[in-house]
Amino acid sequence: MAVTNYLILAAILFSIGATTVLLRRNAIIVFMGIELMLNATNLAFVTFARIHGDLTGQVLAFFVMVVAAAEVVVGLAIIVTIFRTRRSASVDDVNLLSR
Amino acid sequence: MTTTSGEAALFGILATLMVIAALGLLFAKRAVHAAMCVVFVMICLAILYVANEAPFLGIVQVVVYTGAVMMLFLFVLMLVGIDAADSLTETIKGQRWIGIVFGAGLLVVLVSVLASTDLPAAVGLEDANANTNPTGLAKILFGDYVIGMEVIGVLLVTAALAGLVLTHRQRLGARTTQRSMAAERVAALPEGRLLTPLPAPGVYAQNNAMDTPALGPDGQPLEHSVPRVLRIRGQQRTAAEVLGSEETLRSHLGLPAVGTALDDPQIPAIDEPSDHTSTEERD
Amino acid sequence: MQILGLAPWLVGFPLAGALILLVGGRRLDSWGHWLGVLASTASFGAGLALLLDLLAQPTADRVHVYSLGTWIEAGSFTLDAAFRIDPLSLTFVLLVTFVGTLIHIYSVAYMAHDKSRRRFFGYLNLFVASMLLLVLADSYVLLFVGWEGVGLASFLLIGFWDHKIENAVAGKKAFVMNRVGDMGLITAMMLMIWQFGSLSFDDVLSGAPGLQQGAATAIGLMLLLAACGKSAQFPLQAWLGDAMAGPTPVSALIHAATMVTAGVYLLVRSAPILEAAPTAQLVVVIVGAITLLFGAIVGCAKDDIKKALAASTMSQIGYMMLAAGLGPIGYAFAIFHLVTHGFFKAGLFLGAGSVMHAMDDSVDMRRFGGLMKALPWTAATMGLGWLAILGVPPFSGFWSKDKIIEAAFVGEGWRPWVFGLVALIGAGITAFYMSRLFFMTFAGRRRWPVKDGREVTPHESPALMLWPMIILAVGSVALGFVLQLGGGFTTWLEPVTGHVEHHEPVLAVPVIMTLTLVLVALGIWLAFRQYAMSAVPVEAPRSTVLVRAARQDLYQDPVNEGVVMLPGQVLTRTLVYADRAAVDAGFMSLATGVKKAADGLRQAQNGFVRTYAATSLGGLLVVAAIVWALAG
């Protein structure tokens, strides 16, 4: 089996995550889609590290994880705040900008 | 470099499961199911990291994503309402088709790029991991990327603060204390509220006492001594009923009626539960 | 030259007076008018000192320039703020300050009952300062400052009683028509800068003889336009009659004696330019001749004593313009007539003011008559002024006007005959209408207005008003004779106008003189027969077409309105319409288009975050595809 298969898996996961963001309305699920996309890139990073024999790829994946963790904290806090005021976790309900 | 057949088998199984689980994210009706699917994907990813000679990242993946991030997600899901099923009907016109087409298009583009790219043969990480994988990582992390490391630390602290600030709720009134509650009770006296705890239900020989009103010092039944729930359900018994059954028992036993012993056998009827605004709360 | 340092003070005294009076406020009300008189008198004193100094010098050295320093410096163009003291400017200075001072004194009494007498004197001082600046300036730019200053003072004084709407309108009319003339002066200055690169008199006048014919004609005609505006000459004459709305001393000082003659001053000062442009000269003469007859004809029909005098002023300035256009032989006589006219016309106006004073501010000559006995001093002074303007020897007018008529007959071809005859006939008509004015006012039966059932009782004016009139009357009698003694005045002006050899007119001088006197006598007799011997109707009879036209100022206002105002209004309205329909509409439609486009684009902003995500993913796809295609 070629190592490229990992990359194809990463591409598939990334696409599924992106589609989730476009199609789901629950803010938490949308958020999970984003996490999925981040993880897919991480897989690609790790695979490239293996292909090139260079650990820097893993370091970058590590950074991505940390940033993702920080992002989750803020993002979920925003979702909670919105839910408190609007009693809804649907991203479609947050469209004040259109008016 | 090709992988071992063992790894190929592992990948074959895990990749299939992962794609199915990821699709679960797309199609699951309940958010909790979606979250569990993602947890599964993450754990599989951790295994794949280890297979890709990144054991440290595999552990971190489990600890950070599965252990922290996904648990945070579940926590928020509980907060927001776990049983709210997400409707899958599309409200934005054409959004579903756009999403599908774009998602598929993205997949096509990415896979075509991969297919057309001539990647070099994998070098492998034996040399890099010679001093164990965490040591190798640490050298790069605290060598080339030390500033990035510091910045990311700042970022984390900031994010933690942001989480605090965003979820902070402003207290709008004074805190309720025992003293303030006592004052409230005294203030409510003119409205007919009781200062003392409510009386316990009546105790009689024949029946479960919870549904029978107690009798006051004046011989009158105390309506509010019956628990509120029973009264709402209409399950309380009136004092007349209780006395009636006692009389029946006495007549069975051939004892003289109680009423004769009393000066005033007439028991006034108890009002049906209707106006209980002042007494219905029972601490 | 120590004494030349007085030149700035000539302007400075009245200017300071004006400033103090206008800024000082009500606390000056009780004595402010005497401050005005003092400022004017001080100016006259300074002028007199300069005159004595100048007379003590040889004729050739009588032109001085006193510079205050560089005024304008722009690249190669530099201009000094300088005063020019020469016989011509000094003549004007003395005329303006002397007559001005007399009229100041007269006004003290005439305006005694006016609440804003202080303001009036402030304006008078402003006028004197501006007029002196105008005549003393050594460059066209400084002259223009004074030119505008007198225009402003004239506007302020015509509309002095602006609580009456007609007065305010008259002031506005004068102001606007003067602006037309100012355009001429500004254009002339532009042409001068183009031709000479300088605007000082020395540079322009010394360079004038070398000027090309076309440029000289253009500058000359523009200067004539300026002069026409200021001096109420055809075709810009319409404002002078209405200007009589101002207080009578103003009419005497500004609209008879001094300001309206500024145009003549300008032309005489710019004589070398006119001499380089014969065409312009001819036009000047024609304008003078037309105005001469125009004013005379209008004067014959006016029943308003001040408007009749205004028409007469117009006509007399026509004489001066005619003289100024005749070339070197006419300049001195133009200025000579200007000076004598300044005296007798100011005297006549002050007399008219005195009559109005006596007759309850009435100006209708048909309601006067027989005032000789009631106002003996006024009648006497006005009578002397009347004889002077008629040109009866040996009064002032004879010495100046007859010289102009003689000069008009000098030349070759058709010109001397036409212009000479016009001047001659003008003298006859002048005799008629001035006599008419005099007889209607002082002779005949009394036709005094009745007020509250009682006839007004005329009374002689106070001494403060009478003395200026008497002094001016003396001037009307003797000034002409004194100044012409031994050709004194023409010699005095020679440093400016140049020496002229005597030319023989096409008719013999005695013949011209006799003809003039005969015509004058005829005019007097006609007027006497009609207005002194026979009764004058109180209401104006319908009369002939010509008289009706003359009463309407020969339809100058309808003509102006029809020829200039109406097309102008049509043009403006068209432009406004075009502006709205084309320019504004263009910009509006542009704005509307932008707004519509923005509204359309706004539809894409539906506020749904998923739509935005889809858009960004689509963008990513496009970019990725392009990069891939390029790499492949």
Side-chain angles (χ1 to χ4, degrees), chain C residues 6-22 35-47 93 96-97 100-101 104 121-133 136:
Chain C
L6 281 174
W9 291 105
L10 280 174
V11 182
F13 286 131
L15 193 62
L19 273 180
I20 294 170
L21 286 173
L22 292 179
L35 180 74
V37 174
L38 182 70
S40 180
T41 316
S43 242
F44 174 64
V93 166
V96 170
T97 53
T101 305
H104 271 76
F121 273 84
Y123 291 163
L124 272 190
N125 271 2
L126 176 66
F127 167 75
V128 171
S130 307
M131 190 68 201
L132 291 176
L133 187 65
L136 282 169

Side-chain angles (χ1 to χ4, degrees), chain A residues 14 18 21-25 91-92 94-95 97-98, chain C residues 602 605-610 612-615 617 620:
Chain A
F14 190 90
V21 172
L22 294 193
L23 292 186
R24 298 305 297 259
R25 272 176 296 170
V91 287
D92 285 1
V94 192
N95 62 349
L97 274 183
S98 71
Chain C
R602 205 164 63 87
Q605 303 287 332
N606 58 7
F608 290 120
V609 71
R610 291 191 294 148
Y612 300 138
T615 315
L617 181 59
L620 170 76

Side-chain angles (χ1 to χ4, degrees), chain C residues 272-360:
Chain C
I273 293 175
L274 288 178
E275 279 158 30
T279 319
Q281 256 183 329
L282 180 62
V283 177
V284 171
V285 177
I286 291 173
V287 164
I290 291 178
T291 318
L292 189 167
L293 286 180
F294 189 101
I297 292 169
V298 170
C300 290
K302 287 286 178 188
D303 291 330
D304 179 327
I305 187 168
K306 287 183 73 180
K307 293 206 167 164
L309 282 173
S312 152
T313 305
M314 208 190 283
S315 170
Q316 296 301 310
I317 296 171
Y319 270 109
M320 300 172 210
M321 296 288 280
L322 190 145
L326 287 175
I329 54 165
Y331 299 143
F333 299 128
I335 300 300
F336 190 16
H337 190 54
L338 193 156
V339 173
T340 55
H341 172 259
F343 272 77
F344 59 66
K345 186 52 68 59
L348 283 168
F349 260 113
L350 293 191
S354 179
V355 170
M356 287 164 61
H357 193 73
M359 300 299 286
D360 245 354

Side-chain angles (χ1 to χ4, degrees), chain A residues 10-78:
Chain A
I12 294 169
L13 290 181
F14 190 90
S15 302
I16 291 174
T19 316
T20 308
V21 172
L22 294 193
L23 292 186
R24 298 305 297 259
R25 272 176 296 170
N26 189 329
I28 298 169
I29 296 181
V30 168
F31 218 156
M32 287 194 281
I34 293 171
E35 291 302 316
L36 190 62
M37 288 158 80
L38 286 170
N39 275 297
T41 52
N42 273 357
L43 179 59
F45 270 131
V46 169
T47 313
F48 279 121
R50 186 179 179 193
I51 291 174
H52 295 293
D54 188 344
L55 283 178
T56 312
Q58 295 187 10
V59 170
L60 286 184
F62 178 74
F63 277 137
V64 170
M65 281 180 192
V66 181
V67 173
E71 178 219 342
V72 163
V73 171
V74 179
L76 287 179
I78 290 173

